[in-house]
Coordinates of all heavy atoms in Angstrom, one line a residue:
M239 N 0.8 -1.2 0.0 CA 0.0 0.0 0.0 C 0.9 1.3 0.0 O 0.5 2.3 0.5 CB -0.9 0.0 1.3 CG -2.0 -1.1 1.1 SD -3.2 -0.7 -0.2 CE -4.0 0.7 0.5
T240 N 2.0 1.2 -0.5 CA 2.9 2.4 -0.6 C 2.7 3.1 -1.8 O 2.5 2.5 -2.9 CB 4.3 2.0 -0.4 OG1 4.7 1.1 -1.4 CG2 4.6 1.3 0.9
Q241 N 2.7 4.4 -1.8 CA 2.5 5.2 -3.0 C 3.8 6.0 -3.2 O 4.1 7.0 -2.5 CB 1.4 6.2 -2.8 CG 0.0 5.5 -2.8 CD -1.1 6.5 -2.5 OE1 -1.0 7.5 -1.8 NE2 -2.2 6.3 -3.2
Q242 N 4.6 5.6 -4.2 CA 5.8 6.1 -4.5 C 5.7 7.3 -5.5 O 6.5 8.1 -5.6 CB 6.9 5.1 -4.9 CG 7.2 4.1 -3.9 CD 7.9 4.7 -2.7 OE1 8.5 5.8 -2.8 NE2 8.0 4.0 -1.6
S243 N 4.7 7.1 -6.3 CA 4.5 8.0 -7.5 C 3.6 9.2 -7.0 O 2.6 8.9 -6.3 CB 3.9 7.3 -8.7 OG 2.6 6.9 -8.4
G244 N 4.0 10.4 -7.4 CA 3.2 11.5 -7.0 C 3.6 12.0 -5.7 O 4.0 11.2 -4.8
Y245 N 3.3 13.3 -5.5 CA 3.7 13.9 -4.2 C 2.6 14.8 -3.9 O 2.5 15.9 -4.5 CB 5.1 14.4 -4.1 CG 5.5 15.1 -2.8 CD1 5.9 14.3 -1.8 CD2 5.3 16.3 -2.6 CE1 6.3 14.8 -0.6 CE2 5.6 17.0 -1.4 CZ 6.1 16.1 -0.4 OH 6.4 16.7 0.9
G246 N 1.8 14.6 -2.8 CA 0.9 15.5 -2.4 C 0.4 15.2 -1.0 O 0.7 14.1 -0.5
D247 N -0.3 16.1 -0.4 CA -0.7 16.0 0.9 C -2.3 15.8 1.0 O -2.8 16.0 2.1 CB -0.3 17.2 1.8 CG -0.8 18.5 1.2 OD1 -1.5 18.5 0.3 OD2 -0.4 19.5 1.8
A248 N -2.8 15.4 -0.1 CA -4.3 15.3 -0.1 C -4.8 14.2 0.8 O -5.9 14.2 1.3 CB -4.8 15.2 -1.6
H249 N -3.9 13.1 0.9 CA -4.4 12.0 1.7 C -3.5 11.8 3.0 O -3.4 10.7 3.5 CB -4.2 10.8 0.8 CG -5.1 10.8 -0.5 ND1 -6.4 10.8 -0.4 CD2 -4.7 11.0 -1.7 CE1 -6.9 10.9 -1.6 NE2 -5.9 11.0 -2.5
L250 N -3.0 12.9 3.5 CA -2.3 12.7 4.7 C -3.1 13.0 5.9 O -4.1 13.8 5.9 CB -1.1 13.7 4.7 CG 0.1 13.5 3.7 CD1 1.2 14.5 3.9 CD2 0.6 12.1 3.9
C251 N -2.8 12.3 7.0 CA -3.4 12.5 8.2 C -3.3 14.0 8.6 O -2.2 14.7 8.4 CB -2.8 11.6 9.3 SG -3.5 11.7 10.9
T252 N -4.3 14.6 9.2 CA -4.3 16.1 9.5 C -4.2 16.2 11.0 O -4.4 17.4 11.5 CB -5.6 16.7 9.0 OG1 -6.7 16.0 9.5 CG2 -5.6 16.6 7.5
A253 N -3.9 15.2 11.8 CA -3.7 15.4 13.2 C -2.5 16.3 13.5 O -1.5 16.3 12.7 CB -3.5 14.0 13.8
E254 N -2.7 17.1 14.5 CA -1.5 18.0 14.8 C -0.9 17.6 16.2 O -1.6 17.1 17.1 CB -2.1 19.5 15.1 CG -2.6 20.1 13.7 CD -3.1 21.6 14.0 OE1 -3.0 22.0 15.1 OE2 -3.5 22.2 13.0
F255 N 0.4 17.7 16.2 CA 1.1 17.4 17.4 C 0.5 18.2 18.6 O 0.6 19.4 18.5 CB 2.6 17.6 17.2 CG 3.5 17.2 18.4 CD1 3.5 15.9 18.7 CD2 4.3 18.1 19.0 CE1 4.3 15.5 19.8 CE2 5.0 17.8 20.1 CZ 5.0 16.5 20.4
P256 N 0.1 17.6 19.6 CA -0.6 18.3 20.7 C 0.4 18.9 21.7 O -0.1 19.6 22.7 CB -1.5 17.3 21.3 CG -0.7 16.0 21.1 CD 0.0 16.2 19.9
G257 N 1.6 18.6 21.5 CA 2.6 19.2 22.5 C 2.6 20.7 22.5 O 2.2 21.3 21.6
D258 N 3.1 21.2 23.7 CA 3.2 22.6 23.9 C 4.6 23.2 23.7 O 4.9 24.3 24.0 CB 2.6 23.1 25.2 CG 3.4 22.4 26.4 OD1 4.3 21.6 26.1 OD2 2.9 22.7 27.5
D259 N 5.5 22.4 23.1 CA 6.8 22.9 22.9 C 6.9 23.5 21.5 O 5.9 23.8 20.9 CB 7.9 21.8 23.0 CG 7.7 20.6 22.0 OD1 6.8 20.8 21.1 OD2 8.3 19.6 22.1
L260 N 8.1 23.6 21.0 CA 8.2 24.3 19.7 C 7.6 23.5 18.4 O 7.5 24.1 17.4 CB 9.7 24.7 19.4 CG 10.6 23.5 19.0 CD1 12.0 24.0 18.5 CD2 10.9 22.6 20.3
H261 N 7.3 22.2 18.7 CA 6.8 21.5 17.5 C 5.2 21.4 17.7 O 4.7 20.6 16.8 CB 7.4 20.2 17.5 CG 8.9 20.2 17.3 ND1 9.4 20.7 16.1 CD2 9.9 19.7 18.0 CE1 10.7 20.6 16.2 NE2 11.0 19.9 17.3
A262 N 4.6 22.1 18.5 CA 3.2 22.1 18.6 C 2.5 22.5 17.3 O 3.0 23.4 16.7 CB 2.7 23.0 19.8
G263 N 1.6 21.7 16.8 CA 0.9 22.0 15.6 C 1.6 21.3 14.3 O 1.0 21.4 13.3
Q264 N 2.6 20.6 14.5 CA 3.2 19.9 13.5 C 2.2 18.8 13.0 O 1.6 18.1 13.8 CB 4.5 19.2 14.0 CG 5.2 18.3 12.9 CD 5.8 19.1 11.8 OE1 6.4 20.2 12.1 NE2 5.7 18.6 10.6
L265 N 2.1 18.7 11.7 CA 1.1 17.8 11.1 C 1.7 16.3 11.0 O 2.9 16.3 10.7 CB 0.6 18.3 9.8 CG -0.2 19.5 9.7 CD1 -0.6 19.9 8.4 CD2 -1.4 19.4 10.6
C266 N 0.8 15.4 11.2 CA 1.2 14.0 11.1 C 1.7 13.7 9.6 O 1.1 14.2 8.6 CB 0.1 13.1 11.5 SG 0.3 11.4 11.2
D267 N 2.7 12.9 9.5 CA 3.3 12.6 8.1 C 2.6 11.4 7.5 O 2.9 11.0 6.3 CB 4.7 12.3 8.2 CG 5.5 13.7 8.4 OD1 4.9 14.8 8.1 OD2 6.6 13.6 8.9
L268 N 1.8 10.6 8.3 CA 1.3 9.4 7.8 C 0.0 9.6 6.9 O -0.6 10.7 6.9 CB 1.0 8.5 8.9 CG 2.2 8.2 9.8 CD1 1.8 7.2 10.9 CD2 3.3 7.6 8.9
E269 N -0.4 8.5 6.4 CA -1.7 8.6 5.5 C -2.9 8.8 6.5 O -2.9 8.3 7.5 CB -1.8 7.3 4.7 CG -0.8 7.3 3.5 CD -1.0 6.0 2.7 OE1 -2.1 5.4 2.8 OE2 -0.2 5.6 2.0
V270 N -3.9 9.5 5.9 CA -5.1 9.6 6.6 C -5.7 8.2 6.9 O -5.6 7.3 6.1 CB -6.1 10.5 5.9 CG1 -6.5 9.8 4.6 CG2 -7.4 10.7 6.7
G271 N -6.1 8.0 8.1 CA -6.8 6.7 8.4 C -5.9 5.7 8.9 O -6.2 4.6 9.1
H272 N -4.6 6.1 9.0 CA -3.6 5.1 9.5 C -3.9 4.6 11.0 O -4.6 5.3 11.7 CB -2.2 5.7 9.5 CG -2.0 6.8 10.5 ND1 -1.6 6.5 11.8 CD2 -2.0 8.1 10.4 CE1 -1.5 7.6 12.4 NE2 -1.7 8.6 11.7
E273 N -3.3 3.4 11.3 CA -3.5 2.9 12.7 C -2.3 3.3 13.6 O -1.3 3.6 13.0 CB -3.7 1.4 12.6 CG -5.0 1.0 11.8 CD -5.1 -0.5 11.9 OE1 -4.3 -1.2 12.5 OE2 -6.2 -0.9 11.2
G274 N -2.5 3.3 14.8 CA -1.5 3.5 15.7 C -1.3 5.0 16.0 O -2.1 5.8 15.6
D275 N -0.1 5.3 16.6 CA 0.2 6.7 16.9 C 0.6 7.4 15.7 O 0.9 6.9 14.6 CB 1.5 6.6 17.8 CG 1.3 6.0 19.1 OD1 0.0 5.8 19.5 OD2 2.3 5.7 19.8
H276 N 0.3 8.8 15.8 CA 0.7 9.7 14.7 C 2.2 9.9 14.7 O 2.8 9.8 15.8 CB 0.1 11.0 15.0 CG -1.5 11.0 15.0 ND1 -2.2 10.6 13.9 CD2 -2.4 11.2 15.9 CE1 -3.5 10.6 14.1 NE2 -3.7 10.9 15.3
V277 N 2.7 10.1 13.6 CA 4.2 10.3 13.5 C 4.5 11.6 12.6 O 3.9 11.7 11.6 CB 4.9 9.1 12.9 CG1 6.3 9.2 12.6 CG2 4.6 7.9 13.7
A278 N 5.4 12.3 13.1 CA 5.9 13.5 12.2 C 7.4 13.6 12.4 O 7.9 13.5 13.5 CB 5.2 14.8 12.7
V279 N 8.0 13.8 11.3 CA 9.6 13.9 11.3 C 9.8 15.4 11.1 O 9.4 16.0 10.0 CB 10.2 13.0 10.2 CG1 11.7 13.3 10.3 CG2 10.0 11.6 10.5
V280 N 10.5 15.9 12.0 CA 10.8 17.5 12.0 C 12.2 17.7 12.0 O 13.0 16.8 12.4 CB 10.1 18.2 13.1 CG1 8.6 18.0 13.0 CG2 10.7 17.6 14.4
G281 N 12.7 18.8 11.4 CA 14.1 19.1 11.4 C 14.5 19.5 10.0 O 14.0 19.1 9.0
L282 N 15.5 20.5 10.0 CA 15.9 21.0 8.7 C 17.0 20.1 8.1 O 17.1 20.1 6.8 CB 16.4 22.4 8.9 CG 15.4 23.5 9.4 CD1 16.1 24.7 9.6 CD2 14.3 23.5 8.5
A283 N 17.8 19.4 8.9 CA 18.8 18.6 8.4 C 18.7 17.2 9.0 O 18.2 17.1 10.1 CB 20.1 19.2 8.6
A284 N 19.2 16.3 8.3 CA 19.2 14.8 8.8 C 19.7 14.7 10.2 O 19.2 14.0 11.1 CB 19.9 14.0 7.9
A285 N 20.8 15.4 10.5 CA 21.4 15.4 11.8 C 20.7 15.9 13.0 O 20.8 15.6 14.1 CB 22.8 16.0 11.8
F286 N 19.6 16.7 12.6 CA 18.9 17.3 13.6 C 17.4 16.8 13.6 O 16.6 17.5 14.3 CB 18.9 18.9 13.4 CG 20.3 19.4 13.6 CD1 21.0 19.7 12.4 CD2 20.8 19.6 14.8 CE1 22.2 20.2 12.6 CE2 22.1 20.1 15.0 CZ 22.9 20.4 13.8
R287 N 17.1 15.9 12.8 CA 15.7 15.4 12.7 C 15.2 14.7 14.0 O 16.0 14.0 14.6 CB 15.5 14.5 11.5 CG 15.4 15.2 10.2 CD 15.1 14.4 9.0 NE 15.2 15.2 7.8 CZ 15.5 14.8 6.6 NH1 15.9 13.6 6.5 NH2 15.6 15.6 5.7
R288 N 14.0 15.0 14.3 CA 13.4 14.3 15.4 C 12.2 13.6 14.9 O 11.5 14.2 14.0 CB 13.0 15.3 16.6 CG 14.0 15.8 17.4 CD 13.5 16.7 18.5 NE 12.4 16.1 19.3 CZ 11.6 16.7 20.0 NH1 11.6 18.0 20.1 NH2 10.6 16.0 20.7
R289 N 11.9 12.5 15.5 CA 10.7 11.8 15.1 C 9.7 11.9 16.2 O 9.8 11.4 17.3 CB 11.0 10.3 14.9 CG 9.9 9.4 14.4 CD 10.4 8.1 13.9 NE 9.4 7.2 13.3 CZ 8.6 6.4 14.1 NH1 8.9 6.3 15.4 NH2 7.7 5.7 13.6
L290 N 8.6 12.6 16.0 CA 7.6 12.9 16.9 C 6.6 11.8 16.8 O 6.1 11.5 15.7 CB 7.0 14.3 16.7 CG 7.9 15.4 16.7 CD1 7.1 16.7 16.4 CD2 8.6 15.7 18.1
T291 N 6.1 11.3 17.9 CA 4.9 10.4 17.9 C 4.0 10.8 19.0 O 4.5 11.3 20.1 CB 5.4 9.0 18.1 OG1 6.0 8.9 19.5 CG2 6.4 8.4 17.1
W292 N 2.8 10.8 18.7 CA 1.8 11.0 19.7 C 0.6 10.1 19.5 O 0.3 9.6 18.4 CB 1.4 12.4 19.8 CG 0.7 13.0 18.6 CD1 -0.7 13.2 18.5 CD2 1.3 13.4 17.4 NE1 -1.0 13.7 17.3 CE2 0.2 13.9 16.6 CE3 2.6 13.4 16.9 CZ2 0.4 14.4 15.3 CZ3 2.8 14.0 15.5 CH2 1.7 14.4 14.8
T293 N -0.1 9.8 20.7 CA -1.2 8.9 20.6 C -2.4 9.5 19.9 O -2.8 10.6 20.2 CB -1.6 8.4 22.1 OG1 -0.3 7.9 22.6 CG2 -2.6 7.5 22.0
A294 N -3.0 8.7 19.2 CA -4.3 9.2 18.5 C -5.4 9.3 19.5 O -5.5 8.4 20.3 CB -4.6 8.2 17.4
E295 N -6.1 10.4 19.3 CA -7.2 10.6 20.4 C -8.5 10.1 19.6 O -8.7 10.3 18.4 CB -7.4 12.1 20.6 CG -6.2 12.5 21.5 CD -6.4 14.0 21.9 OE1 -7.5 14.5 21.6 OE2 -5.5 14.6 22.4
E296 N -9.4 9.6 20.4 CA -10.7 9.3 19.9 C -11.5 10.5 19.5 O -11.8 11.3 20.5 CB -11.5 8.4 20.9 CG -10.8 7.0 21.0 CD -10.9 6.2 19.8 OE1 -11.9 6.4 19.0 OE2 -10.1 5.3 19.6
T297 N -11.9 10.7 18.3 CA -12.6 11.9 18.0 C -14.0 11.4 17.4 O -14.1 10.5 16.6 CB -11.8 12.7 16.9 OG1 -11.7 11.9 15.7 CG2 -10.7 13.2 17.4
T298 N -15.0 12.0 17.9 CA -16.3 11.7 17.4 C -16.8 12.9 16.5 O -17.0 14.0 17.0 CB -17.3 11.5 18.6 OG1 -17.3 12.8 19.4 CG2 -16.9 10.4 19.4
S299 N -17.0 12.6 15.2 CA -17.4 13.6 14.3 C -18.5 13.0 13.5 O -18.6 11.9 13.3 CB -16.3 14.1 13.5 OG -15.7 13.0 12.7
Ligands
LIG448 ZN1 -1.7 10.6 12.0

């Protein structure tokens, strides 16, 4: 289920990192509807990248 062709954010998860540090509001990098924790990789260079993970909250909509 990997999509290597094309690059767009139309199908990305829109969850925001709930932390209150400098990365608050960082959007999840995974596909919409993914299971498990949300993940976002932040950082300008590989040496400084951080992998943020946060637990998905149950949302009723
Ligand atoms: Zn997510």
